[in-house]
């Protein structure tokens, strides 16, 4: 079988939704793109005459591809060098997906994607399809070849694993910029106390360099320890310039729905620092510096019109 104009249109109309589902399931934009491409290849060879509901067919195929990827991903992450963090996506990227409800916006935050690593593969699928895309339990059961009651029990377990007592503050572009400006001013001041005042007592800092760029092997916690680390991180040195390929400009952005600092050398994004903000202050600092996990963000960044940097030539 081959894909005609109508079948191609059906798939392209579903592509953004499929990418958004795959990203939440895998925590990786590049893996999500691969999963969607594999889904297209199966759609290409399918007997479309017997596909009653293309959207449901595509979702089921994609989900099963992601389930297989999740199994192998767990093995890869066990041998991953340093800390593993999800791949960041910038505001406006279609992979962000639906954002009408708090649950939908939360499901794509770095914090929630990291928490979802606790879930089994099936728990993650059920949780994502239910919370982020509003699928009924009967629909999810059909996708996973489960009974509806079994699907509901899996969802309940997943909700318990994902429970958090840290309500995140939602931000728009203007408020995100203000938060990042304040954070950057404190980080560049060289004064630990300035940073401590912005952080919660139990703040956590985690970084992903993928074994390519230096990052701490384990997260660090506590306002004073994190503040000291950030103060050193933002001290400009020749070694840092050599690592990132020159002096950088620092921009405010929204990444995965969170205030973020984008570090760019020319059009190249070399780092993203996302801030998890609660009513008590910054509760987590997620630093992504692994070049392979910045490729999609870099493409989107280069193609977008950017505001003036907060700091030039760092």
């Amino acid at each position: 079988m081959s894909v005609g104009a109508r079948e191609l249109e059906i798939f392209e109309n579903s592509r953004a939704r499929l990418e958004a589902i795959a990203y939440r399931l895998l925590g990786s934009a590049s893996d999500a793109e691969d999963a969607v491409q594999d889904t297209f290849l199966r759609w290409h060879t399918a007997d479309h005459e017997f596909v009653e509901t293309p959207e449901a067919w595509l979702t089921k195929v994609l989900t099963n591809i992601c389930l297989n990827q999740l199994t192998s991903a767990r093995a890869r992450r066990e041998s991953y060098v340093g800390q593993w963090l999800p791949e960041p996506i910038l505001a406006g990227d279609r992979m962000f997906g639906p954002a009408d409800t708090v649950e939908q916006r939360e499901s794509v935050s770095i914090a929630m994607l990291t928490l979802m690593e606790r879930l089994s593969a099936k728990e993650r699928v059920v949780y994502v399809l239910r919370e982020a895309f509003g699928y009924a339990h009967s629909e999810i059961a059909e996708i996973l070849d489960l009974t509806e009651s079994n699907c509901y029990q899996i969802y309940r377990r997943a909700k318990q694993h994902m429970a958090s007592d840290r309500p995140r503050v939602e931000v728009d572009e203007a408020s995100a910029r203000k938060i990042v400006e304040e954070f950057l001013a404190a980080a560049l001041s060289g004064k630990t106390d300035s940073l401590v005042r912005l952080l919660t007592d139990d703040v956590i800092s985690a970084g992903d360099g993928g074994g390519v760029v230096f990052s701490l092997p384990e997260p660090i916690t506590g306002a004073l320890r994190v503040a000291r680390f950030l103060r050193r991180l933002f001290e400009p040195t020749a070694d840092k310039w050599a690592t990132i390929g020159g002096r950088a400009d620092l921009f405010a952005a929204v990444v995965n729905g969170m205030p973020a600092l984008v570090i760019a050398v020319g059009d190249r994004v070399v780092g993203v620092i996302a801030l998890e903000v609660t009513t008590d202050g910054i509760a987590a600092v997620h630093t992504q510096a692994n070049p392979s996990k910045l490729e999609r963000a870099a493409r989107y960044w280069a193609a977008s019109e950017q505001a003036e940097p907060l700091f030039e030539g760092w």
Side-chain angles (χ1 to χ4, degrees):
M1 301 296 294
S2 62
V3 176
R6 179 178 173 276
E7 287 75 26
L8 183 60
E9 181 182 12
I10 288 171
F11 185 85
E12 289 304 324
N13 287 340
S14 298
R15 183 183 288 275
R17 180 180 59 83
L18 295 174
E19 285 189 352
I21 292 173
Y23 175 68
R24 284 164 172 78
L25 291 180
L26 302 173
S28 164
S30 56
D31 287 348
E33 289 172 342
D34 290 344
V36 172
Q37 184 60 26
D38 286 348
T39 303
F40 174 74
L41 293 175
R42 298 190 190 188
W43 178 243
H44 179 80
T45 58
D47 192 339
H48 303 111
E49 183 180 348
F50 295 98
V51 177
E52 294 183 5
T53 311
E55 180 180 292
W57 188 97
L58 291 168
T59 303
K60 182 164 186 169
V61 170
L62 175 81
T63 299
N64 280 289
I65 289 170
C66 289
L67 279 170
N68 290 333
Q69 285 202 25
L70 280 169
T71 302
S72 60
R74 287 187 185 279
R76 291 199 308 271
R77 286 168 196 170
E78 286 177 2
S79 59
Y80 193 81
V81 178
Q83 302 170 63
W84 182 93
L85 288 177
E87 191 170 337
I89 54 174
L90 295 164
D93 190 322
R94 69 186 180 190
M95 208 170 264
F96 193 87
D100 297 327
T101 67
V102 172
E103 289 78 13
Q104 288 172 336
R105 294 188 291 274
E106 278 286 309
S107 70
V108 80
S109 73
I110 298 292
M112 292 297 278
L113 289 171
T114 303
L115 272 178
M116 276 195 267
E117 291 295 305
R118 302 177 179 179
L119 305 180
S120 70
K122 283 189 177 179
E123 285 174 342
R124 188 160 183 164
V125 170
V126 172
Y127 183 82
V128 165
L129 292 181
R130 181 65 180 163
E131 288 285 303
F133 295 90
Y135 279 77
H137 287 297
S138 57
E139 295 174 304
I140 302 172
E142 178 71 22
I143 290 169
L144 293 175
D145 295 323
L146 301 171
T147 65
E148 189 172 343
S149 61
N150 191 5
C151 180
Y152 180 70
Q153 290 300 320
I154 292 172
Y155 173 69
R156 284 188 60 190
R157 288 200 304 271
K159 284 278 285 185
Q160 290 170 354
H161 289 314
M162 294 297 291
S164 173
D165 57 0
R166 273 183 159 177
R168 192 166 58 89
V169 174
E170 294 198 53
V171 298
D172 56 20
E173 187 174 348
S175 56
R177 183 179 179 87
K178 185 176 180 182
I179 290 167
V180 175
E181 283 178 341
E182 191 174 7
F183 170 78
L184 183 59
L188 293 176
S189 71
K191 298 177 181 178
T192 303
D193 290 348
S194 298
L195 278 164
V196 168
R197 284 194 291 269
L198 299 180
L199 308 174
T200 62
D201 291 341
D202 59 349
V203 63
I204 183 169
S205 177
D208 183 342
V212 179
V213 177
F214 172 78
S215 64
L216 294 175
E218 299 289 340
I220 55 175
T221 59
L224 185 57
R225 290 186 69 208
V226 170
R228 286 172 174 167
F229 168 73
L230 290 171
R231 186 194 66 203
R232 292 192 300 271
L233 180 67
F234 279 91
E235 290 174 351
T237 66
D239 286 344
K240 288 173 186 171
W241 296 332
T243 298
I244 63 177
R247 291 188 175 240
D249 295 333
L250 310 179
F251 297 83
V254 178
V255 171
N256 293 74
M258 305 162 66
L261 184 71
V262 171
I263 304 166
V265 177
D267 285 338
R268 289 189 305 111
V269 175
V270 297
V272 171
I273 300 176
L275 307 175
E276 183 184 341
V277 182
T278 69
T279 52
D280 296 324
I282 297 172
V285 180
H286 307 280
T287 302
Q288 184 57 259
N290 184 346
S292 67
K293 290 189 178 182
L294 294 170
E295 291 177 357
R296 185 179 177 100
R299 292 199 307 269
Y300 192 88
W301 182 264
S304 304
E305 185 176 345
Q306 305 303 330
E308 290 297 312
L310 300 179
F311 192 91
E312 294 182 274
W314 173 79

